Amino acid sequence: MNKVYLSDSGPKVSEAVYGFWRWTDNGSQTVATMEKIVNLCLELGVNTFDHADIYGNYTIEEYFGKLIQQKAIKREDIVLFSKCGVRKSDKGYAYFDNTEKYLLESVNNSLKRLKTDYLDIFLLNQIDMISNPEETAQVLRELVNIGKIKHIGVSNFSVFQHQLLESYLRKPIVTNHIELNLINTSAIEDGRLDFIKQRFSKPLAWAPLAGGKILDGTDAKSAILKAKLAEIGQKYGANIEQTAVAWLMQLGTLPIIGSLSEERIRNAVSATEIKLVHEDWYEIYNLAMMK
C-alpha cells in the first residue's frame, strides 16, 4: 500500500487507516486479537492506527501500548493518532470538553497508556461550545512545541468550527476525521470535504461502509445501492465492499477500517487498486443522493 502525505505539512500515512472505535474490552483476549490484527495490517502496508482516550471505556490504548512494550511492534514502524474531547458523565450521557486541564490530562494519559513519548497526530474530537477556543488553541500549540504531539487534527468539525480553531492556532490543522459513506454523503453537500481539500489536506472517513449497512442493510436505499455496487463491481473484478471503498477513496479520502474480520480488512486495503471510470462513479453517487 502506498504512503501519502496527510497534508502539505505532513505526516506520511498509509492510504487506509485502522481504527479502534468499535473495539470493546475483553481482557487478555483483546491483546491477542489486537496483535493478530495489527500484524495483518502491517503485512498489508497499513501502518497508521487511530485511537481515542475513550475507546473501549478507556482500555484500548493500554492494550495497544502492551504491544509496543512487549516489542511485538516497533514504534518507529507505525503512525499513531489519538484524540479526546468526548467524555461520559456519571449519569451516562456524553458531553464535550476542550478545556486546558482536560486536554493536558488526556494527552499525558494517552502517551502513558500507549507507551510512547509522542503522538504523530492528536485530534480534537468535537468542539466544546462553552470552552474558550483561544485557550484550547494555546494548549495545543504548547503540546506541539514540547514534542508530545507532532501534528494537530480535528474530528467531526464543521467548516466554521475548523476555521474558528485554526484562526487561534496559527498552526495548520492537518485533517478532519468525518463520517462519509454512500449512506451519509452530507460532508460532500455541506462543504466539509471541499474545505478540507482547500486546506491541502486529506479527510479521514470513518464508517466507510456505514457501520455495515451497505453490506447488510435491509431498507430500500441500502438494497438498491448494494445491487448497483455488485453490478458495477463485476466490471472491475471487485466485490460490493471493495467497490464501495474504492468509490470513497476516489474522493481523496483515507478510509478508517475498524473490522476484526481478516477478509474485510483485505477487501478495504485492496480497494486502493480499483479506479472507477467517471460514468460508474457518478452512477453510484446518483443513487447515494436518492432520498
Side-chain angles (χ1 to χ4, degrees):
M1 171 172 284
N2 292 330
K3 305 300 185 292
V4 296
Y5 283 104
L6 191 54
S7 80
D8 60 348
S9 60
K12 229 174 184 182
V13 300
S14 48
E15 287 183 297
V17 175
Y18 191 89
F20 292 92
W21 173 38
R22 299 186 187 278
W23 282 57
T24 56
D25 181 3
N26 291 314
S28 59
Q29 182 182 344
T30 304
V31 179
T33 302
M34 187 177 289
E35 184 172 3
K36 178 182 175 183
I37 293 294
V38 169
N39 284 333
L40 173 63
C41 287
L42 293 173
E43 174 193 326
L44 297 174
V46 178
N47 74 333
T48 308
F49 298 94
D50 177 59
H51 290 272
D53 59 353
I54 202 170
Y55 288 173
N57 196 24
Y58 301 92
T59 63
I60 299 303
E61 288 182 322
E62 186 171 355
Y63 289 130
F64 194 94
K66 288 181 179 179
L67 298 184
I68 295 177
Q69 187 176 40
Q70 295 166 3
K71 302 190 185 306
I73 54 175
K74 295 179 181 179
R75 177 64 181 92
E76 60 269 24
D77 291 341
I78 60 175
V79 180
L80 272 182
F81 299 178
S82 195
K83 65 184 82 66
C84 79
V86 179
R87 305 188 71 175
K88 289 183 180 177
S89 75
D90 293 337
K91 296 180 181 179
Y93 62 85
Y95 66 99
F96 308 141
D97 188 344
N98 295 170
T99 58
E100 177 182 8
K101 180 176 184 294
Y102 172 63
L103 291 179
L104 288 173
E105 286 178 356
S106 180
V107 169
N108 286 329
N109 286 336
S110 287
L111 294 175
K112 182 179 179 181
R113 288 191 291 260
L114 289 165
K115 299 295 188 289
T116 185
D117 296 326
Y118 67 94
L119 296 170
D120 295 283
I121 297 187
F122 171 76
L123 300 105
L124 189 61
N125 190 10
Q126 302 282 357
I127 198 161
D128 169 9
M129 293 180 286
I130 58 174
S131 287
N132 183 335
E134 187 172 10
E135 176 188 280
T136 299
Q138 182 177 343
V139 70
L140 291 174
R141 288 199 308 271
E142 178 61 22
L143 286 166
V144 172
N145 290 340
I146 63 178
K148 290 188 175 183
I149 62 178
K150 301 297 184 183
H151 301 276
I152 299 166
V154 294
S155 180
N156 302 308
F157 271 44
S158 70
V159 170
F160 290 119
Q161 290 167 345
H162 191 145
Q163 289 176 314
L164 174 65
L165 181 61
E166 197 164 51
S167 69
Y168 287 105
L169 270 175
R170 298 191 295 277
K171 288 181 180 292
I173 291 173
V174 299
T175 189
N176 190 357
H177 184 290
I178 56 175
E179 181 178 5
L180 181 57
N181 52 61
L182 285 165
I183 301 296
N184 183 353
T185 58
S186 60
I188 300 175
E189 284 87 61
D190 65 22
R192 279 177 291 160
L193 186 68
D194 292 335
F195 179 75
I196 298 164
K197 291 180 178 181
Q198 184 189 49
R199 311 304 292 165
F200 304 104
S201 300
K202 290 181 172 60
L204 300 171
W206 61 269
L209 296 174
K213 197 173 183 181
I214 290 171
L215 294 174
D216 306 319
T218 56
D219 61 288
K221 182 175 180 178
S222 296
I224 291 169
L225 278 168
K226 184 176 178 180
K228 182 55 65 178
L229 290 166
E231 175 193 329
I232 289 178
Q234 286 184 336
K235 298 182 185 180
Y236 302 88
N239 59 30
I240 293 167
E241 186 171 357
Q242 290 168 317
T243 308
V245 176
W247 180 91
L248 187 62
M249 294 186 78
Q250 280 186 245
L251 281 166
T253 67
L254 306 182
I256 307 284
I257 311 165
S259 177
L260 274 72
S261 162
E262 178 177 339
E263 180 183 7
R264 292 186 64 178
I265 293 170
R266 289 184 181 276
N267 281 336
V269 169
S270 62
T272 62
E273 301 169 9
I274 301 166
K275 303 300 179 191
L276 304 174
V277 300
H278 274 61
E279 184 177 0
D280 291 337
W281 193 94
Y282 278 99
E283 185 174 4
I284 295 169
Y285 179 56
N286 288 338
L287 288 179
M289 294 294 290
M290 177 182 66
K291 301 299 183 185

